[in-house]
Amino acid sequence: MTQFNVVNGMLQGAKQIPSPNFNQRPKNTEIQLIVVHNISLPPSQFGGGYIQQFFQNQLDWNTHPYFKEIEGMQVSAHLLILRTGQAIQFVNFNDRAWHAGRSSYLGLQECNDYSIGIELEGSDDSPFESEQYQTLAKIIKQLQLTYPKTQHHIAGHSDIAPLRKTDPGPYFDWVYMRTLLSQQKNYNENLSTFD
């Protein structure tokens, strides 16, 4: 099983595919929120590498009719977790990825400024894979250790932009994810007793 560790904003254990779609966070901004999304290109179809191409501005808009609807959009996320559970990092955590758009969390506007965006390869109309939950829980635990203000702040895209977005959708099992996260925490605590 892949082990993850955050060093200087980079997730060790993840494949690195840099996206040009990022900028600097506002000065003195602390990372305090993790946002969970889903994405599939074309919608509800998995594989093909189109998400990676999209985040790199390398998607051929003529490959599928749906791609014409998103032509020219420049978006990114910090991470993508594929159906296999593989994690890909597109943007350094210390930088501002373009994943949330107009959004607010607990009254604080512009979530891109202070959040980390994690995309799961998936859709609103199908369940996610157990490998994705396992990877997500491991990564969130590392992020919470690195950025302590995220400890109690995990939201879906639909929570921070409810009038625009529906992801991660009804098939995302928050209870299962939080159970895995709790197990991850207990596992890490047990390991530390042997140090």
Side-chain angles (χ1 to χ4, degrees):
M1 292 292 284
T2 304
Q3 296 301 315
F4 298 102
N5 194 27
V6 179
V7 178
N8 297 324
M10 302 297 284
L11 184 66
Q12 295 183 334
K15 183 177 181 180
Q16 301 293 326
I17 302 180
S19 169
N21 301 330
F22 73 93
N23 58 354
Q24 300 305 303
R25 296 183 186 274
K27 201 168 183 179
N28 301 322
T29 298
E30 283 190 270
I31 295 168
Q32 48 193 308
L33 172 66
I34 296 168
V35 180
V36 180
H37 305 254
N38 79 46
I39 187 171
S40 53
L41 290 176
S44 302
Q45 295 181 36
F46 308 132
Y50 298 123
I51 301 168
Q52 295 92 312
Q53 293 169 26
F54 184 45
F55 287 171
Q56 293 179 285
N57 301 337
Q58 295 176 359
L59 186 61
D60 181 349
W61 310 115
N62 298 311
T63 304
H64 188 277
Y66 174 75
F67 296 168
K68 288 291 186 185
E69 296 181 32
I70 59 172
E71 185 170 357
M73 287 179 64
Q74 294 185 331
V75 298
S76 63
H78 291 95
L79 298 174
L80 168 67
I81 300 175
L82 300 177
R83 305 293 287 179
T84 59
Q86 181 187 23
I88 302 171
Q89 184 168 21
F90 292 90
V91 177
N92 186 297
F93 297 130
N94 297 325
D95 291 321
R96 182 181 183 273
W98 303 344
H99 61 97
R102 289 280 167 259
S103 52
S104 69
Y105 179 75
L106 299 181
L108 192 58
Q109 303 296 312
E110 306 300 339
C111 294
N112 281 343
D113 290 351
Y114 56 87
S115 68
I116 288 171
I118 303 177
E119 294 274 7
L120 300 177
E121 184 181 21
S123 66
D124 285 5
D125 52 21
S126 59
F128 296 89
E129 301 292 343
S130 60
E131 292 88 347
Q132 292 179 288
Y133 287 106
Q134 299 282 345
T135 298
L136 180 63
K138 282 184 176 183
I139 290 172
I140 288 177
K141 181 44 55 190
Q142 288 305 311
L143 292 174
Q144 290 178 335
L145 290 170
T146 308
Y147 309 104
K149 287 205 168 180
T150 65
Q151 195 75 27
H152 303 291
H153 300 289
I154 306 169
H157 199 185
S158 56
D159 298 316
I160 62 170
L163 300 179
R164 295 188 305 109
K165 297 296 180 178
T166 58
D167 60 310
Y171 282 93
F172 184 74
D173 192 336
W174 286 98
V175 173
Y176 180 48
M177 190 273 289
R178 290 185 187 281
T179 300
L180 289 174
L181 200 50
S182 172
Q183 291 170 353
Q184 197 68 36
K185 182 178 180 185
N186 293 338
Y187 175 74
N188 286 348
E189 286 173 351
N190 289 339
L191 275 184
S192 67
T193 62
F194 295 103
D195 288 347

